């Protein structure tokens, strides 16, 4: 075996030791749903020319990408034999990419683990810049023709999947939606259609991909969620729809913020807001600008975060739009943005008030959002030393949790147990912990 000089050079450029690279690789593996236990010995083997199994080369490449601030491919690490350079994302056949993605996306959670979230993939063009990028054709085939009736059916399925997700979580809905995309929507994208129907079909497909991305996000499958969001953006571009392109970029911003990539989150949220056409509804403007505020607060830009939060509130006040299965916004969502901003600014009482207001305004059907909000509110109560209120709030969370299949909710349950462990001598804390164990056993049965 020949020594891996490419990896050695990257280590030198990054200033990392072998152990440091191993630590970052393990951390990215956890982000992708994998349990890796590499150490400096493993990296030493790589330097001698050994290649780890996929997706480890991709994880190593992503680690260096984040460290060096430039794109590093798996081939550039010397850990992937026979690697080929992928074609530019915005010039490939988007329908073929969707077909391949949702074929895998219908698999089990275990099979989906290992799809790597890429910081380099977040370098997306603004809407105006897309005009200079030659997009791949989406050729129609003679196998069939999409009529308005098929399109109406797809929109009805979008409503159905969205409603089920709100009430029961992404884990129940994701496999079914991925299969629907693979067996029905992806083939329709290649069928013939009248121009108006074809454009509307691509928008509806973008909405379904956006929703599938969110279901993966809810299941903490961040690599595949990112790919669905990017396909949603590309389908919106193919339809010539700037509004849904902006909504897809907003989703990427939310994900980046949740994963700690603050600068990328601000850039994506800002690009999304700028992509909105002048005719965009006030509700959608509030939806996007609220995310700009949340991203800026996470990046410690207090002044602009407060300005944009007020702007989102103003747009929502002037909205007369109806609720949509994708990109909806209402007072509960705005209050949740208020809480995110105030928490980042260290204003815990204001964050608690905002989350309480969000719960009061939250539509009854949005069980998963209510559960996540309750879990966050309980943590803030405990941070303030209010153990009784934290226990009461976590008790409410468990009432909703029993109906959900959501990895985010599972993570919140793990946080509940960890945070209450030092307080088990206190009867209310012990009671909530016992209830959590009972609910978990009942769900596993």
């Amino acid at each position: 075996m020949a020594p891996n000089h490419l990896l050695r050079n990257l280590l030198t450029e990054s200033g990392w030791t072998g152990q440091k690279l191993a630590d970052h690789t393990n951390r990215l593996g956890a982000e992708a749903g994998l349990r890796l236990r590499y150490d400096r010995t493993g990296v030493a083997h790589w330097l001698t020319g050994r290649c780890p199994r996929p997706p480890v080369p991709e994880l190593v490449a992503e680690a260096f990408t984040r460290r060096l601030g430039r794109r590093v491919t798996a081939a550039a690490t010397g850990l992937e034999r026979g690697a080929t350079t992928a074609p530019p994302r915005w010039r490939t056949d988007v329908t073929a990419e969707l077909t391949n993605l949702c074929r895998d996306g219908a698999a089990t959670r275990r099979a989906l683990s290992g799809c790597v979230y890429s910081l380099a993939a977040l370098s997306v063009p603004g809407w105006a810049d897309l005009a200079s990028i030659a997009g791949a054709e989406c050729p129609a085939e003679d196998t069939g023709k999409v009529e308005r009736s098929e399109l109406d059916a797809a929109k009805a399925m979008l409503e159905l999947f969205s409603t089920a997700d709100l009430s029961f979580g992404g884990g129940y809905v994701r496999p079914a939606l991925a299969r629907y995309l693979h067996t029905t929507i992806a083939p329709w994208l290649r069928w013939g259609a009248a121009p108006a129907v074809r454009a509307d079909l691509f928008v509806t497909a973008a909405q379904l991909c956006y929703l599938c991305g969110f279901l993966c996000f809810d299941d903490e499958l961040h690599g595949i969620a990112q790919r669905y969001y990017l396909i949603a953006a590309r389908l919106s571009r193919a339809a010539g729809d700037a509004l849904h392109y902006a909504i897809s970029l907003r989703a990427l911003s939310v994900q980046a913020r949740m994963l700690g990539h603050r600068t990328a989150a601000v850039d994506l949220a800002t690009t999304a807001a700028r992509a909105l056409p002048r005719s965009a509804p006030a509700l959608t403007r509030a939806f996007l600008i609220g995310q700009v505020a949340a991203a800026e607060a996470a990046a410690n830009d207090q002044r602009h975060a407060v300005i944009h939060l007020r702007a989102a509130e103003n747009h929502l006040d002037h909205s007369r739009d109806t609720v949509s299965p994708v990109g909806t916004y209402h007072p509960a969502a705005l209050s949740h943005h208020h809480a995110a901003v105030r928490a980042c600014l260290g204003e815990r009482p204001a964050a608690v008030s905002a989350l309480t207001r969000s719960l009061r305004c939250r539509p009854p059907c949005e069980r998963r959002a209510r559960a996540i909000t309750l879990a966050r509110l309980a943590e803030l109560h405990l941070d303030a030393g209010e153990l009784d209120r934290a226990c009461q709030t976590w008790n409410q969370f468990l009432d909703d949790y029993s109906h959900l299949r959501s990895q985010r909710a599972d993570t919140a349950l793990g946080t509940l147990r960890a945070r209450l462990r030092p307080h088990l001598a206190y009867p209310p804390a012990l009671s909530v912990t016992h209830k959590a164990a009972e609910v978990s056993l009942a769900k596993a049965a």
Side-chain angles (χ1 to χ4, degrees), residues 123-210:
S123 297
V124 298
W127 181 255
D129 300 324
L130 287 172
S132 63
I133 300 176
E137 292 295 321
C138 302
E141 298 175 351
D142 295 331
T143 50
K145 184 176 182 180
V146 179
E147 303 287 356
R148 181 63 61 177
S149 57
E150 281 88 4
L151 184 56
D152 291 341
K155 291 180 178 181
M157 292 300 290
L158 174 62
E159 292 275 0
L160 177 66
F161 285 125
S162 177
T163 300
D165 167 58
L166 289 171
S167 295
F168 302 107
Y172 283 113
V173 186
R174 174 182 49 76
L177 175 51
R179 281 192 292 270
Y180 179 67
L181 284 166
H182 184 251
T183 61
T184 304
I185 298 300
W188 281 357
L189 292 174
R190 292 202 178 277
W191 288 12
V197 172
R198 186 167 175 79
D200 204 357
L201 172 64
F202 270 75
V203 170
T204 303
Q207 292 176 307
L208 285 161
C209 287
Y210 170 100

Side-chain angles (χ1 to χ4, degrees), residues 71-158:
R71 186 182 180 190
V72 177
T73 64
T77 67
L79 296 176
E80 191 172 72
R81 301 303 186 203
T84 57
T85 303
R89 181 181 299 275
W90 297 89
R91 293 184 173 89
T92 57
D93 183 346
V94 66
T95 57
E97 189 172 344
L98 173 60
T99 299
N100 292 331
L101 176 61
C102 57
R103 181 190 296 120
D104 298 334
T108 63
R109 176 181 172 81
R110 182 176 180 180
L112 294 176
S113 296
C115 183
V116 180
Y117 178 88
S118 169
L119 205 58
L122 298 181
S123 297
V124 298
W127 181 255
D129 300 324
L130 287 172
S132 63
I133 300 176
E137 292 295 321
C138 302
E141 298 175 351
D142 295 331
T143 50
K145 184 176 182 180
V146 179
E147 303 287 356
R148 181 63 61 177
S149 57
E150 281 88 4
L151 184 56
D152 291 341
K155 291 180 178 181
M157 292 300 290
L158 174 62

Side-chain angles (χ1 to χ4, degrees), residues 331-332 335 352-364 370 373-374 377:
S335 294
V352 168
S353 296
L355 286 181
T356 303
R357 186 168 61 252
S358 179
L359 288 167
R360 196 163 53 242
C361 300
R362 182 72 62 182
R370 183 170 61 244
T373 303
L374 283 165
L377 181 59

Side-chain angles (χ1 to χ4, degrees), residues 109 218-220 372 375 379 397 401 406-418:
R109 176 181 172 81
D218 187 47
D219 250 350
E220 297 185 347
I372 298 298
E379 293 175 40
F397 159 78
Y401 174 77
S406 158
Q407 188 61 38
R408 284 196 298 158
D410 291 347
T411 298
L413 180 72
T415 300
L416 179 161
R417 287 170 164 161

